[in-house]
Amino acid sequence: MSESAGQLADLRGRVEALLAAHDPATSDRLDFLRARFDAGLAWVHFPEGLGGLGLPRSLQGYVDELLARAGAPDNDPRRNGIGLGMAAPTILTFGTDEQRRTFLRPLWTGEEVWCQLFSEPGAGSDLAAVGTRAVPDPHDPGTWVVNGQKVWTSSAHKARWAILVARTDPGVPKHAGLTYFVCDMTDPGVDVRPLRQITGEAEFNEVFLSDVRIPDAHRLGAVGEGWRVANATLMNERVAIGGHAAPRESGMAGVVARTWRERPELRTPELHDRLLSLWVEAEVARLTGQRLRQKLAVGEPGPEGSAMKLTFARLAQELSGLELELLGEEGLRYDEWTMTRPDIVEFTGRDAGYRYLRAKGNSIEGGTSEILRNIVAERVLGLPSEPRVDKDIPWKDLPR
Amino acid sequence: MTTPPTSAVPTPAAASAAASAAGDPAGVDAAAAPSGGGLDLLYTDVEDALRASVRDLLTARCTPDAVVAAYDGDRSLTATLWKALAVDLGLAGLLVPEERGGAGASAREAAVVLEELGRFAAPVPFLTSAVVATTALLASMDDDLLVRLAAGERTAALVVPLSADAAGFRPVVRVQEDGTLHGRVTSVAGAVEADVLVVPVATGGGVALHAVEASAARVDHVVSLDMTRPLADVTLDGVRGELVVGADAGADAVRLALETGAALMASEQLGVAQWCLSATVGYLLERRQFGRVVGGFQAIKHRLADLYVVVESASAAARHAAVTAAEQDPDRTVAASVAQAYCSGAAVRAAEECVQLHGGIGMTWEHPAHLYLKRAKADQITFGTPGRHRALLGELVDLPA
């Protein structure tokens, strides 16, 4: 593989220089993060000048570790998962130089949180059917006017920007009439309303767009290319969800294992074998993710990430379900139904009942498991798609 | 095959580079290793070249027609194929250090060979002789037998039931005061092909290993579920052997041999599963019913997608077991049990799906699917069942019953 002792030594030198110029103990957090970005140590696989050094993705862990050891603040990536995991790589791939310069730095530092305006009440798995319209303003050339409704929007209430897929040409088949934009969430036409979920809390939102104005300079990719751009985003999402670096027993397996160890009185032989089956599967999933990351170290996310996400969702659901059974009578209780707006979503947070219910979302968000199986079957295994009745029909003529 | 005799065998330098190369700066600077980077689970160029040599040879010589003949009593393929692999390609000595007459490679390379052998359901005693018996004999002080095994001049079998696992094995053969061996061990794999038997013997001081000429023992061939790895019942009735590993070291040698067998058989199971998946996808891209390619029906696609996920997962588990064994990583025992607990089921599922999704032709003798089903099901029981490995893991990772 590509990294060498020389690369590591060079990185270590750059980290030391950053720390020397900006002592984490005395620097302002944001100043430090901006300096880190400017030193190319934010995401080393990004190009120089955009927070990176054009190095293999696999070297990032080395930088993170050195900085963590020095007590440097991080950019709290959990607060801006969609920005870091989805918007950033899409902007890098499809954005203009101006867009990259404008958006990437405050995105990475966390000054600006991003959300995703993709799914709609009438377009979930069939994302290409979105009906939110973007129309050029006849009185203001260079501006689009957007109307529609989006759902399942995490972080919309905190977001400064959104990545948005909208229909710009209803007269052509659905995949061909889409365009991808960056939407200003502070526009007066953006109305964010909490959407309560089965857990009781409102982690997501509905977003109503009424005459929202978007300058053409905030279009990502060509008019009509939105589907291709959105697909690149979704591949990144699946990698982000399914393939993060992790030690053994991280995630749901660790939660259930801890309960098992701490509560010997709850154990039964039947639960023991199920626990170990799932523990083995979780360990294998961890190794599979590690292997996938090694494959991706110099490459782009591919459909293999969809496979990881399938496994992750199933294991989170089975493990959290097992934990409720293990807890028995305690599993009948729930911590809190009051509607809250969580700041950070922790799949393994709160109590076992919450974890069980929240895990149900894992096989729906970021592509349902059914759609992911189609992706694996078609793009990895090369199997044909089902016959599509809507493929050649203009979007406006589709039955709905 | 015109491959020069040693071209398939990695040099020790290349093998050690393979072991330390790749996606992990830890190899260069362990003090600042990234969390979760981990051991290199991919294949090195050396391993790819080794795989290509083995695959070329098996493609030419190990055809399904020749393999299936073993079930009808014609085992002629085994001897010629094993000689080509063991001697011509030099694979018998992969796990033997150079200074002891071997190739000085590691479990990483042996695992790649096993993937290919699994992919062809090859009826050769690589796992039993070159991996299990050889690993046991690495504890021997006398290199004579090891050198000859590494050269492919002799073929050995560790005389244990194929279902024995590293943690639970107890020898049944006894040594009498006159030095003769007595006992009967059932369901021994590799004994049919072996000319020397490595026999774990219970003594007062522990487990000793004796090398016995196969011709001196009674080796009763058994009609086996998997005739590509045929079993035999071995009876020792007053036979004399040569002490090769003393009672102080034999138990550890057998444990390591069976653990290494379990760890590396996961790669064979991976090869079986990969063949089953690709054969099934290939068939379903051609087979038409209802005017459509059958592989286009969503009910079928979802099953194959799930199977792909299983096979990819098995490859990570198998690779991890091989790499930890190669590096003598402290995690190797856990990794071996994780790999067996996962890959056994993965191979069986792939083979069962292969039969089912081939429909009628999948149930026939003429289609090779059954070779893989029989291998997969027998492998599942070999070196401990998945349930046994889960139980072992419960102890190893502090999740007690």
Side-chain angles (χ1 to χ4, degrees):
Chain A
M1 304 245 304
S2 43
E3 63 252 28
S4 64
Q7 281 177 327
L8 293 177
D10 177 62
L11 276 177
R12 183 186 279 275
R14 287 171 189 267
V15 169
E16 282 165 2
L18 171 70
L19 292 167
H22 303 269
D23 181 357
T26 55
S27 299
D28 173 67
R29 177 177 175 275
L30 202 51
D31 287 343
F32 182 86
L33 292 173
R34 286 172 178 162
R36 177 175 167 186
F37 186 93
D38 295 338
L41 298 169
W43 33 33
V44 295
H45 60 288
F46 271 51
E48 288 189 46
L50 295 173
L53 296 165
L55 293 172
R57 194 189 289 256
S58 56
L59 289 167
Q60 187 62 44
Y62 180 71
V63 172
D64 292 347
E65 177 73 21
L66 290 177
L67 286 169
R69 249 170 232 231
D74 73 5
N75 61 340
D76 202 355
R78 292 176 308 173
R79 298 179 59 88
N80 198 13
I82 286 175
L84 293 162
M86 302 172 67
T90 311
I91 292 166
L92 178 65
T93 307
F94 293 97
T96 61
D97 287 347
E98 171 73 20
Q99 289 168 336
R100 293 162 155 200
R101 273 198 307 275
T102 308
F103 292 127
L104 289 175
R105 190 173 183 251
L107 183 160
W108 185 83
T109 59
E111 290 162 77
E112 294 179 348
V113 171
W114 287 62
C115 67
Q116 174 193 18
L117 298 174
F118 278 23
S119 291
E120 298 180 3
S125 287
D126 187 9
L127 180 63
V130 294
T132 292
R133 289 293 315 275
V135 183
D137 184 341
H139 310 296
D140 183 6
T143 299
W144 297 83
V145 179
V146 180
N147 283 281
Q149 182 192 349
K150 298 287 182 177
V151 287
W152 268 79
T153 314
S154 316
S155 302
H157 53 295
K158 295 176 296 184
R160 174 67 178 81
W161 300 104
I163 43 178
L164 166 73
V165 178
R167 186 157 307 280
T168 44
D169 186 354
V172 295
K174 60 181 184 179
H175 292 92
L178 300 172
T179 302
Y180 197 114
F181 297 96
V182 172
C183 175
D184 183 348
M185 292 297 284
T186 65
D187 185 286
V190 175
D191 179 18
V192 177
R193 302 180 197 167
L195 181 60
R196 200 173 183 190
Q197 295 146 243
I198 63 174
T199 56
E201 65 184 14
E203 174 193 319
F204 309 148
N205 302 275
E206 300 177 283
V207 178
F208 294 84
L209 306 169
S210 309
D211 292 333
V212 173
R213 301 178 66 76
I214 298 182
D216 192 55
H218 286 182
R219 172 168 49 79
L220 275 179
V223 174
E225 267 213 318
W227 181 247
R228 192 164 75 87
V229 184
N231 260 302
T233 302
L234 293 171
M235 286 300 169
N236 280 295
E237 176 178 38
R238 283 157 202 155
V239 169
I241 289 176
H244 59 292
R248 179 174 288 165
E249 282 193 16
S250 50
M252 209 67 89
V255 172
V256 184
R258 190 162 58 243
T259 305
W260 183 271
R261 291 183 186 115
E262 289 171 356
R263 305 288 300 276
E265 76 280 7
L266 300 174
R267 298 171 190 167
T268 70
E270 181 261 344
L271 289 172
H272 189 234
D273 195 52
R274 276 172 61 197
L275 170 68
L276 284 163
S277 290
L278 291 170
W279 189 94
V280 165
E281 287 197 66
E283 170 65 1
V284 172
R286 180 182 76 86
L287 296 169
T288 308
Q290 181 177 316
R291 189 157 182 269
L292 180 61
R293 275 193 310 284
Q294 291 175 353
K295 278 192 195 173
L296 294 182
V298 286
E300 290 302 307
E304 296 89 351
S306 298
M308 277 311 301
K309 201 224 157 205
L310 277 171
T311 303
F312 162 78
R314 184 177 55 78
L315 288 176
Q317 292 171 352
E318 291 190 22
L319 281 159
S320 59
L322 175 76
E323 191 187 15
L324 274 185
E325 289 174 70
L326 174 63
L327 289 169
E329 186 187 328
E330 274 173 62
L332 295 169
R333 300 169 183 243
Y334 194 77
D335 64 349
E336 177 74 89
W337 290 116
T338 311
M339 192 187 97
T340 54
R341 302 274 275 166
D343 211 29
I344 293 170
V345 177
E346 291 266 37
F347 294 157
T348 54
R350 287 180 56 175
D351 70 351
Y354 169 83
R355 292 192 284 273
Y356 171 74
L357 293 173
R358 182 60 188 82
K360 294 299 166 216
N362 295 158
S363 55
I364 300 170
E365 58 206 348
T368 65
S369 289
E370 288 68 29
I371 288 294
L372 298 188
R373 288 188 181 94
N374 285 349
I375 289 172
V376 170
E378 291 167 23
R379 298 198 208 156
V380 181
L381 299 177
L383 295 165
S385 57
E386 290 275 334
R388 288 195 175 148
V389 294
D390 59 358
K391 204 169 68 177
D392 301 317
I393 302 173
W395 177 82
K396 65 182 168 51
D397 298 330
L398 291 176
R400 63 173 65 81
Chain B
M1 276 306 288
T2 54
T3 315
T6 57
S7 70
V9 177
T11 65
S16 111
S20 66
D24 183 2
V28 182
D29 183 359
S35 62
L39 300 161
D40 173 21
L41 302 178
L42 305 180
Y43 300 102
T44 63
D45 293 344
V46 173
E47 289 160 15
D48 287 340
L50 173 62
R51 178 195 304 286
S53 301
V54 176
R55 187 177 292 188
D56 283 350
L57 187 136
L58 293 172
T59 302
R61 304 228 197 143
C62 190
T63 61
D65 284 350
V67 175
V68 78
Y71 285 86
D72 290 324
D74 174 5
R75 298 190 48 257
S76 58
L77 174 63
T78 295
T80 55
L81 189 60
W82 177 230
K83 182 176 175 297
L85 289 161
V87 181
D88 301 345
L89 291 189
L91 302 183
L94 276 185
L95 293 181
V96 179
E98 242 184 343
E99 63 274 19
R100 303 179 77 178
S106 78
R108 290 185 67 107
E109 292 78 18
V112 169
V113 172
L114 280 161
E115 283 183 30
E116 293 307 307
L117 296 176
R119 209 185 292 274
F120 288 81
V124 291
F126 179 82
L127 180 64
T128 50
S129 182
V131 175
V132 175
T134 296
T135 300
L137 287 170
L138 288 173
S140 166
M141 291 300 157
D142 177 9
D143 281 357
D144 182 54
L145 180 53
L146 203 56
V147 166
R148 302 185 69 186
L149 281 181
E153 291 167 22
R154 305 209 71 182
T155 300
L158 185 67
V159 180
V160 301
L162 186 57
S163 55
D165 66 84
F169 171 72
R170 301 289 177 269
V172 297
V173 175
R174 309 278 156 183
V175 58
Q176 293 198 340
E177 282 185 9
D178 64 356
T180 58
L181 303 177
H182 298 263
R184 176 176 155 84
V185 183
T186 53
S187 305
V188 179
V192 169
E193 299 92 341
D195 49 29
V196 56
L197 302 175
V198 180
V199 184
V201 177
T203 73
V207 178
L209 298 186
H210 291 248
V212 173
E213 290 299 315
S215 55
R218 205 175 98 202
V219 177
D220 296 320
H221 293 210
V222 170
V223 179
S224 312
L225 174 64
D226 174 18
M227 287 300 284
T228 66
R229 181 170 288 141
L231 305 178
D233 295 337
V234 174
T235 308
L236 303 167
D237 188 11
V239 175
R240 281 183 192 281
E242 184 192 345
L243 181 69
V244 285
V245 177
D248 56 329
D252 282 347
V254 173
R255 191 195 52 72
L256 185 62
L258 291 175
E259 181 182 300
T260 304
L264 297 194
M265 190 177 64
S267 290
E268 175 183 301
Q269 291 164 320
L270 171 63
V272 168
Q274 285 174 334
W275 184 90
C276 291
L277 175 62
S278 68
T280 306
V281 169
Y283 177 70
L284 293 177
L285 280 170
E286 289 178 2
R287 173 74 174 169
R288 300 181 82 90
Q289 294 282 276
F290 306 103
R292 289 168 58 187
V293 169
V294 174
F297 287 96
Q298 199 171 45
I300 304 291
K301 286 163 68 178
H302 282 194
R303 278 171 75 162
L304 291 171
D306 285 338
L307 188 58
Y308 165 81
V309 172
V310 167
V311 173
E312 279 299 288
S313 303
S315 83
R319 208 64 203 137
H320 188 243
V323 172
T324 51
E327 309 212 348
Q328 287 158 36
D329 189 286
D331 201 33
R332 60 176 296 174
T333 304
V334 169
S337 277
V338 165
Q340 274 311 301
Y342 192 86
C343 296
S344 287
V348 169
R349 176 165 165 187
E352 290 179 348
E353 288 287 75
C354 181
V355 169
Q356 174 65 25
L357 294 177
H358 274 79
I361 190 74
M363 194 62 198
T364 64
W365 194 260
E366 72 177 86
H367 193 280
H370 67 111
L371 299 173
Y372 296 87
L373 179 66
K374 291 161 187 172
R375 172 64 72 86
K377 197 64 191 173
D379 276 0
Q380 191 181 36
I381 301 162
T382 297
F383 302 136
T385 62
R388 170 69 180 151
H389 284 283
R390 285 196 294 273
L392 291 172
L393 281 168
E395 300 302 319
L396 290 169
V397 303
D398 185 31
L399 291 170

